Amino acid sequence: MSTRRQFMKLGLTAAATPLLPPGFAEASPRIGAAAGIQPFASYWHPNTLLAWDPATDPDARFNRSTVPLAPQVVPARPANAHARPGEAKVQSLVAYAPTSANPAQGAPDMNYYATNYWQYMDTLVFWGGSASEGLILAPNPTVTDAAHRNGVRVIGNVFLPPTAYGGRIQWVRDFAQRSGDRFPVADKMIEVARHHGFDGWFVNQETAGGDAALASDMRDLVAQLEASGLHIIWYDAMTRTGSVSWQNALTASNQMFIQDGATRVSDDMFLNFWWSGTGLADSAALARSLGRDPYELYSGVDVESSGYNTSVGWSSVFPENQPHVTSLGFYRPEWTFKSSAGPADFYARDNRFWVGPNGDPADTASTASWKGVAHYVTELSPITSLPFVTNFNTGHGKLFAVDGQTLNTGPWNNLSLQDVLPTWRWSVRSTGTKVVPSLDWDTVWDGGTSLRITGTPSEDNDIRLFATGLALDGGASFELVHNTGAVGPSRLLVGLQFADAPDTTEFLDVGDSEGGWQRATFALDAHAGRELVGISLRVTAGGPFTGYVGRLGVHGTGAPAEVAAPGQVTAEQVAQTGPATAALRLSWVKSADAVRQYRVFKRNADGTRAFLGGTPNDAYFVPAVAKAADEAVTLEVIAVTDAFAVSPASEVVVP
């Protein structure tokens, strides 16, 4: 199979069940889908998109992302001196699920590519589409929520496939049909992106049979999308003659799809995979001559089949001790998940892909050809405003806990609930034996994951965690929820680095542990007016150590004493999916306060709660709640702020 055919492989397999790695067991069938009320991610052919109206699409409300795109900062002390900030960027083209039957808001199983190395990405393309299902694919809101929280744009996909994979030139003509001086399909694509809350479109036109007139129409349509303010990416396939001819470079044959005279047609171009060093250098020179940044060209690397075992001409993109030539585009980096034997293996593979074989973004020197993205591209951080709170939630898990209590014992995935994870995974400094940090799915404070630290440090160990850009006010404070098991000294200190002395760490002693989860808080008023640029943890020397961090937060002044509850909760649809199980669509009126997410619970007869799911949106599909056909159940919705303060519950009784 050629590289190009691998690029199109999704078009052949999109209707199939996604690959299930052997260590990830699916918890249950998608019972809500069987009941006919499961909301799915959106997809269309050109003519069906023209008929789309969010007011009449019953799934539209469930497909909205509400998390704004966070700003990012370069760390005051980047991990890797070899990486070059402000040069090459990274695009990831990821297929999370088949085109159709893709649950909009997560599902009750852990089997999911929980993207979590956002710090190295500039843009994520929600890859998909197939001739038999749909050619225009909008991202799940869960993916957009997680990406935006980390400052990464999310792009929908247009897939006009080769005729060998079901493509029809009539679909291309339908796509690029004019109405006066406008393109109706483009207008609908703009409407979809604004309604759903994502950032733009990737246009991949590979259907043969076009001519120069169709190429001009396609250019003008893309320019209309670009003029709307969306972020538009063109894939190197169609040329100015209308033929499909992969240039593997920016050339006179395809330049009109990124820049046509004074007209900016698209923001970026994804170059096909067969590039050469000379071709990339010539592409960068041509981009400059057009008044464009060469880092708006993304040299494509197909990692779908081999991941970090893929042969890549790294020096053509990243020549040693010289400026980067272009940016880098990965096709299907979810290989780290698809090829894994289970969660631990997935995270180990993902770490090697992004950070390199040494597992330390500060130490990427290796004889291996694949040194990790961190070897070339400087990490970015979205942590620029207060409050900043993380529970180390990866967005999927074996269980769901709240305040250290497990309120759902089943597996789940929902990237909308993912927290900002450590910037550096993992960078540990010590003159003696080192501890090993990792993410843990068994001992959890809030969500599905915690930070686990284990080892026998012979000397003090410092673990760099977060790059930040936080201006501290007079009421700032620091919070650490930890669990070191035994009663006695916790052996933990919080390290803070400030912009006025970034190489100096000031420590806060966590003190003694009483066993189990406990919270340590520190006033930071002495640092008012300073900018916090880094957070680390120190584990002091001693015997064997195993500890967990369930929450880490920096708070400012001005947080509301009380959080307003959501307004009226409505059970819009209920389907009995089994003798003792129901699925339902819920909606509510948003809280009057700024909210990070809403959480949905079932209130049990004994007054306890069972966690059912969560979303930043005002509508949520509950795939499974314990409920007999003749039983009335009470559901509660609470608002949760960025500081993880919670509101009173708003209730609905489901008869």
Side-chain angles (χ1 to χ4, degrees), residues 268-407:
D268 303 321
M269 183 180 287
F270 190 101
L271 305 180
N272 192 52
F273 309 115
W274 309 326
W275 41 263
S276 66
T278 299
L280 294 189
D282 291 346
S283 297
L286 178 55
R288 292 188 185 96
S289 75
L290 296 172
R292 298 298 295 267
D293 186 340
Y295 302 129
E296 294 168 346
L297 305 177
Y298 290 78
S299 300
V301 177
D302 182 351
V303 294
E304 179 184 15
S305 62
S306 299
Y308 47 65
N309 299 311
T310 303
S311 178
V312 180
W314 295 109
S315 62
S316 296
V317 184
F318 306 128
E320 193 69 22
N321 299 318
Q322 298 179 47
H324 298 159
V325 178
T326 67
S327 290
L328 193 68
F330 287 124
Y331 175 68
R332 308 297 297 276
E334 77 275 13
W335 171 89
T336 57
F337 166 69
K338 294 287 183 69
S339 65
S340 69
D345 188 37
F346 160 44
Y347 278 80
R349 288 171 180 259
D350 221 30
N351 182 265
R352 182 173 177 182
F353 186 98
W354 294 100
V355 173
N358 299 334
D360 182 350
D363 177 17
T364 54
S366 170
T367 58
S369 173
W370 191 288
K371 293 176 171 55
V373 177
H375 187 67
Y376 309 101
V377 177
T378 298
E379 66 279 7
L380 298 174
S381 172
I383 307 169
T384 62
S385 62
L386 297 174
F388 161 64
V389 180
T390 179
N391 300 311
F392 302 91
N393 189 353
T394 58
H396 67 166
K398 301 175 181 179
L399 54 84
F400 199 97
V402 177
D403 292 343
Q405 301 297 313
T406 299
L407 299 188

Side-chain angles (χ1 to χ4, degrees), residues 392 426 436-440 443 450-454 463 545-549:
F392 302 91
W426 301 97
V436 178
S438 62
L439 296 167
D440 184 84
T443 304
S450 66
L451 170 63
R452 182 176 188 260
I453 305 168
T454 187
I463 308 166
F545 176 88
T546 297
Y548 301 86
V549 178

Side-chain angles (χ1 to χ4, degrees), residues 76 470 472 496-506 526-534:
L470 298 173
L472 301 183
L496 305 177
Q497 297 88 42
F498 296 92
D500 52 24
D503 295 323
T504 300
T505 299
E506 302 181 32
H527 301 291
R530 301 179 79 186
E531 182 184 356
L532 180 65
V533 296

